[in-house]
Amino acid sequence: MPPTRGGNGQGNGRGAPGNRPPGNGRGRPRNGGKSRPAANVYANHRRRDRNRRRRHHAARRRLVLLTIGLGAAAILAALTAAAFTGASAFRNSCSLELLRPVTLGQNSFVYAADGTPLGAIPAERNRQPVKLKRMSPSIREATVAIEDRRFYQHGGLDFHGIFRAAFKNLESGRIVEGGSTITQQLVRNLYIGNERSLKRKTKEACLALKLDDAWAKDRILQTYLNQVYFGNHAYGIEAASQTYFSKSAKKLGLAEAALLAGLPQAPSVYDPFARPDEAVRRRNEVLRAMLVAGNITQAEYEQAAAKRLKLRRGQIYTKIREPFFFGYVRDLLIAKYGVSTVRSGGLKVYATIDPRFQAAARRAVKENLTERTDPASAVVSINPKNGAIRAMTAVIPGRRGVQFNLAAQGTRQAGSSFKTFVLTEAIHQGINPNTTMYLSAPFHWQPDPLSEPWDVATYAGDYYGPSTIASSTLRSDNTVYARLTLDVGPENVVRIAHEMGIKTRLEPVASVGLGTNSVSVLDMASAYATLAAGGIYSEPMAIKKVVLPSGKVDTGAGWGKPKRKRVFRDGVAYEVTKILQQNILAGTGTAANFGRPAAGKTGTADDFADAWFVGYTPTLATAVWVGYPRAQIPMTNVHGIRVAGGTFPAQIWHDFMVAAIGSSPYAEFPYPSQPVDWQPFHGQYAYYGPPPCTKNCDGGKKKDDETTSSGETDTGGGGTDTAPPTDTTSPPPPPPTTTAASND
């Protein structure tokens, strides 16, 4: 078989493996059949790489020149069109009125009650338009000098600039100077985008002439500086100044302004964070342009050009104060306006939160729960007069950056703090808590033989026999409140709790009065605020007003307008408050006493997994929850004690209230205008035996609540006839349907 092309006798022109002659791939040996040194081979590779790079650069240069040529051709075409058809006809070929400006959007900001910023709503584009007078003179001069030196002389198109830029770009083989005026760039940004075509360039030229006629020069420059992209998600000079230097555009120095003015031509190429050397070179080009334009002196140029970059990456668009409350406000805004408007609608949102109250709440928690392994705590405080949220915070020892809002989103068992709703419903029905008695004794309830029995005991395992509702509230007696709940009706307890401000779903079960349902801290503060307001519920209010990008306040959304509704007469609230005042003075909530008229209730869930104190004064209602957020973990040994509502929660409440309103004018709870009309009551589980012994009993041998020799507490009243035997030994019949009094 004759050798094929390549002469290697193998028939494939490449030679067998291991026997390939030193050919060149064309059937001829390289270097006369001799092996070339390795250094020469590598030199050839380097030469070929250089040639490839040169060809690539040449292609890019041709593309640049072609672009320059197209731009110049477009302007020439526009001039030709104007020459043949007349300037008037050319101007009539486009219309500003028929075009809708491209919407870039702007950041929405949230401010606290005192006007301090809480943060910006996260957005893909950061933008804050400002007036020209709110920009440093240096940024205005620098922008005109580098982008459009004859800006104040031409009529929207700068023919001198076009041909000057074309000549310089052709001379250097790359784009070193733009030919478009600031007006043209603004038209491109506002109306027609970045499409590259002769038709687009012609329209751009026409619109630039129209815009220059319609707008003042300063308005054009202001709009341009508020629209142009500066890199790193910053649109407009204010966002750029905050992004790169953490300051407003009005405070920019000469070197800083020159740096920013040079970015719009190629933001990624001159990115000072990523490419500082390129950014400095571009900055100095801008400074030279300012020197040539007469904006600065030689000395100012040299001083500014010698400066190092002093960047300070801004956090105004990323840092959020009071994240729990901020997230709550953001959700309200999204529900009203939608995601797009909230993120880039340029809203200015003024909230009800008081930074002083926020700081006081955090400090109260941190000063009481000091260890990293301690449980978390959430605090919400509300103005009863209008529902304004004054504080909303949560502290989780040892953890940061928690996104879940424990104060508004988290729900936990309320424990005995829910007894307040049973008490309120009882008084609402006309049941006198000072004369109506129930038995403080273990309670067994099974409405029928097939249902699961329910056995109730007290928190401390102590019992007091016949007791008034009022005195049982001070002891937070579970056995009394289990009976009372059944008598007033669990469904009525659920109803009044919802009307007072509880928004979570509640099951009207027999144990509802003992707090077995889960509620949020916000809801509890809101519901107790209804008592503080004399029976008037106010919907929690987080936003006072929203200012639209136009500068007008959005009055149609209802922000800042209290939404109030009377739930029950002020006499009901007054009677509940009297008892809860005594609870702080001499009941389970004494740790909350801060020397001013205040009312409140403790709450401890099963196994000490949740602990509460919720209380109020005439001017402020505050709820405090303590617990582990991840699971129902018993708090049986926190700083050596079991955590009940009267321990850490009451102390945190006390410390917060002292800091928040301790120096405010003294305020008493007002006497009601509509006292309660007490009604005859015949509850199925109420106590109807002799009243308990309160003074000297059995010839003065013992007083009520004294301990017998066996170590048991004597219930007083002279023996066994005080307790119906069926109450604890056999299931009572199902509770009767109770009809509540109508609302006022």
Side-chain angles (χ1 to χ4, degrees), residues 314-350:
Q315 295 183 323
I316 187 173
Y317 303 111
T318 57
K319 185 177 181 180
I320 294 174
R321 293 170 54 207
E322 314 302 347
F324 296 124
F325 179 75
F326 186 92
Y328 180 73
V329 169
R330 180 193 59 216
D331 292 344
L332 293 176
L333 293 169
I334 290 174
K336 180 67 69 173
Y337 298 112
V339 175
S340 179
T341 298
V342 171
R343 293 186 64 185
S344 57
L347 306 176
K348 290 185 178 179
V349 183
Y350 294 87

Side-chain angles (χ1 to χ4, degrees), residues 23 63 140 220 237 239 249 323 475 494 551 609 611 648:
L63 180 61
R140 295 178 288 187
I220 293 173
I237 188 59
R475 297 193 308 271
V494 167
F648 291 108

Side-chain angles (χ1 to χ4, degrees), residues 404-483:
F404 187 73
N405 188 346
L406 294 175
Q409 295 173 308
T411 59
R412 300 297 283 264
Q413 285 190 355
S416 292
S417 60
F418 208 86
K419 290 173 182 171
T420 296
F421 303 113
V422 183
L423 176 64
T424 303
E425 176 59 23
I427 295 174
H428 188 214
Q429 293 184 19
I431 301 172
N432 191 330
N434 299 304
T435 59
T436 304
M437 304 187 70
Y438 281 85
L439 188 65
S440 172
F443 181 53
H444 175 88
W445 185 72
Q446 190 175 20
D448 61 75
L450 298 179
S451 64
E452 184 177 349
W454 181 42
D455 293 287
V456 184
T458 60
Y459 163 69
D462 50 358
Y463 303 96
Y464 294 83
S467 302
T468 64
I469 296 173
S471 63
S472 299
T473 304
L474 304 190
R475 297 193 308 271
S476 197
D477 195 311
N478 287 343
T479 63
V480 168
Y481 266 84
R483 294 173 168 92

Side-chain angles (χ1 to χ4, degrees), residues 442-739:
F443 181 53
H444 175 88
W445 185 72
Q446 190 175 20
D448 61 75
L450 298 179
S451 64
E452 184 177 349
W454 181 42
D455 293 287
V456 184
T458 60
Y459 163 69
D462 50 358
Y463 303 96
Y464 294 83
S467 302
T468 64
I469 296 173
S471 63
S472 299
T473 304
L474 304 190
R475 297 193 308 271
S476 197
D477 195 311
N478 287 343
T479 63
V480 168
Y481 266 84
R483 294 173 168 92
L484 179 60
T485 298
L486 292 173
D487 274 347
V488 300
E491 67 283 356
N492 291 323
V493 175
V494 167
R495 175 192 50 75
I496 203 164
H498 280 152
E499 291 178 350
M500 290 173 66
I502 301 298
K503 300 302 180 186
T504 52
R505 179 187 174 97
L506 300 173
E507 295 294 338
V509 295
S511 61
V512 64
L514 304 187
T516 54
N517 282 281
S518 293
V519 295
S520 73
V521 185
L522 173 63
D523 284 359
M524 290 296 280
S526 174
Y528 274 61
T530 300
L531 291 168
I536 299 176
Y537 164 73
S538 295
E539 182 178 314
M541 180 171 59
I543 299 172
K544 292 194 299 183
K545 68 176 180 178
V546 173
V547 180
L548 303 174
S550 63
K552 295 182 179 180
V553 176
D554 184 2
T555 56
W559 305 119
K561 298 177 182 178
K563 298 177 178 64
R564 311 190 78 199
K565 177 184 178 182
R566 178 165 290 283
V567 180
F568 41 75
R569 63 180 64 184
D570 59 351
V572 173
Y574 181 76
E575 295 296 335
V576 174
T577 297
K578 281 200 306 182
I579 295 173
L580 297 188
Q581 275 188 280
Q582 287 299 312
N583 191 51
I584 286 181
L585 294 174
T588 59
T590 55
N593 188 356
F594 70 111
R596 284 175 172 249
K601 184 71 184 74
T602 56
T604 309
D606 289 343
D607 300 324
F608 301 92
D610 298 286
W612 297 75
F613 188 86
V614 191
Y616 54 94
T617 69
T619 60
L620 199 64
T622 303
V624 177
W625 167 84
V626 173
Y628 289 98
R630 290 187 172 182
Q632 297 275 356
I633 301 174
M635 298 179 289
T636 55
N637 186 15
V638 177
H639 300 197
I641 64 172
R642 295 188 300 180
V643 180
T647 60
F648 291 108
Q651 189 62 51
I652 291 170
W653 190 92
H654 167 277
D655 294 352
F656 166 75
M657 296 295 280
V658 168
I661 61 172
S663 59
S664 62
Y666 192 89
E668 290 276 6
F669 290 103
Y671 192 79
S673 60
Q674 293 182 305
V676 178
D677 295 325
W678 304 119
Q679 302 295 320
F681 175 66
H682 303 286
Q684 179 177 354
Y685 301 100
Y687 173 78
Y688 297 107
C693 178
T694 57
K695 295 183 179 180
N696 293 330
C697 305
D698 298 332
K701 294 181 181 179
K702 296 199 310 300
K703 292 183 179 179
D704 184 39
D705 293 346
E706 287 184 349
T707 303
T708 65
S709 59
S710 63
E712 297 179 352
T713 301
D714 188 350
T715 61
T720 59
D721 59 347
T722 61
T726 58
D727 196 39
T728 58
T729 59
S730 62
T737 302
T738 305
T739 302

Side-chain angles (χ1 to χ4, degrees), residues 259 266-281 309:
L259 175 74
S268 59
V269 173
Y270 303 125
D271 183 350
F273 292 137
R275 308 180 73 172
D277 293 339
E278 293 291 336
V280 168
R281 281 194 287 271
L309 291 180

